[in-house]
Structures are given as C-alpha cells and as structure tokens.
Amino acid sequence: QENIKNRFPFYLGSFFAGTMTGETDGSSYERLLLLGLQQLWKNKELTDVVLHLPDLSTIRCHQVVLSAASPYFNELIKQAKDHEVKVDFADSETIKMVIDYFYTGSINITANNLDDLSAVNQILRLDDLEYRLTHFMMDEIDASNCIEFYRIARVHGLEDLEPFCLEFLLSHFVEAASSSPGSFEKLS
C-alpha cells in the first residue's frame, strides 16, 4: 500500500486502500467515477455522440453514459448514423435536464416541471427518477395540487403513487374541489 501512495501523487486513501484488500467502498468509487464523467462532459472531452434537440441546439455526450443510463438512449444510439442522434421526445429544456441528471445524479424537480419529467420518465423508464418524482409528489401533496398529482400519476403510469394520490384526494375532497375548480375535468 505504501508503494501505491508513493507512485500515485493523487492517492486517495480510502479509494485505493479498499481496492488493495479486495474490499471497495462503492459509494466513494461511484462518486469519483461520476465526478470524472462530469468533468469529461463539461470539458467536452472524448464525447462521441451529438444529440440534436427540438430547439436546434446540440449536446455533445458519451455514448456509454447515455446507453448505461437508459435503454431508450441505448437503442437510439445503436440506430444512429455518424454518431448524430435526433432527440425529440420532449422539449429541449427537459431533455437538457435529463442529460445533466445522467452525468450528475441530481435533478431539480418542481411543480412546474413535474408533468414534463413524468412524461419523459414514461419513455426512458429511469427507476431512480421515478422514485424521486414519486417522493416529490408524496412530500408536496396538498388539497390544492392533489387532483393534478393524481392526474400525473394516472397519465404517466406512476403506479405506486396513483393510489396514494387518490386516497389523499378522497380524504380531502371538499377542500380539493374548492381550491382547484375545473381540475376534475382534466381527469377524463
């Protein structure tokens, strides 16, 4: 282990120490790998695919990152010619958020982008994003948004969330109906 410390000036104790004994601290390794991929992406280094977005902008990415993150992107990339991929399953802003999520592991879910991200997730089928969307709605649900959250859960196949929203809606029906007039029409 001392040998490694001397040979590699960037020695990261817990990172290499674990690998020397055959044990790894997965969270440290994963974090370092993700940080490395982020740097490569930010610096546009070793990118090998160009995504063409609906607003005619482009994003340079790594095929392996997109393919590993999503089976949908894996298929798109396999069918692509000349490493150019047209991506039009959502608006450009939402697609950029999702690509950033692939590289950073974080995404800012708000009431304003909830429907768009849920629609994208229905296509991409990202378990972690679905988990985050579901928990965002479970944490933020109230009488003023429960009808909309129920609609989003139904429309976008968030099966674990749908009964939760329905139960909340039914138990707060009068308050929900008065705070969200016209929302029931959106359910049909």
Side-chain angles (χ1 to χ4, degrees), residues 25-118:
D25 178 359
S27 60
S28 295
Y29 175 76
E30 292 164 0
R31 186 175 43 77
L32 290 171
L33 181 61
L34 191 58
L35 287 172
L37 290 171
Q38 287 172 28
Q39 277 307 119
L40 289 171
W41 183 53
K42 285 179 184 176
N43 296 335
K44 296 183 170 95
E45 294 177 18
L46 303 174
T47 57
D48 54 4
V49 65
V50 178
L51 303 182
H52 295 270
L53 306 182
D55 67 358
L56 305 179
S57 65
T58 60
I59 305 175
R60 297 194 56 78
C61 298
H62 301 91
Q63 291 181 34
V64 69
V65 172
L66 300 181
S67 293
S70 165
Y72 178 85
F73 272 105
N74 188 33
E75 285 305 313
L76 276 182
I77 290 168
K78 284 180 184 176
Q79 298 169 11
K81 296 179 181 169
D82 301 324
H83 305 285
E84 305 275 330
V85 178
K86 182 179 179 184
V87 185
D88 58 4
F89 57 82
D91 64 271
S92 297
E93 184 179 326
T94 304
I95 294 169
K96 288 175 184 177
M97 284 179 62
V98 170
I99 300 302
D100 187 71
Y101 169 65
F102 289 167
Y103 281 93
T104 65
S106 67
I107 193 162
N108 184 29
I109 300 171
T110 67
N112 293 334
N113 66 23
L114 181 62
D115 198 20
D116 291 336
L117 287 173
S118 297

Side-chain angles (χ1 to χ4, degrees), residues 5-22:
K5 285 182 185 179
N6 294 333
R7 288 179 50 210
F8 296 100
F10 58 89
Y11 176 79
L12 301 169
S14 64
F15 177 71
F16 285 112
T19 60
M20 294 303 296
T21 62

Side-chain angles (χ1 to χ4, degrees), residues 146-167:
C146 64
I147 299 169
E148 179 63 8
F149 284 8
Y150 177 67
R151 183 197 66 78
I152 289 171
R154 278 188 53 209
V155 168
H156 300 301
L158 299 169
E159 296 170 2
D160 293 337
L161 183 63
E162 190 176 339
F164 177 82
C165 291
L166 181 59
E167 185 178 320

Side-chain angles (χ1 to χ4, degrees), residues 132-151:
R132 291 171 187 238
L133 292 165
T134 298
H135 283 273
F136 173 84
M137 288 188 266
M138 290 174 86
D139 291 344
E140 298 296 319
I141 196 165
D142 62 32
S144 69
N145 62 23
C146 64
I147 299 169
E148 179 63 8
F149 284 8
Y150 177 67
R151 183 197 66 78

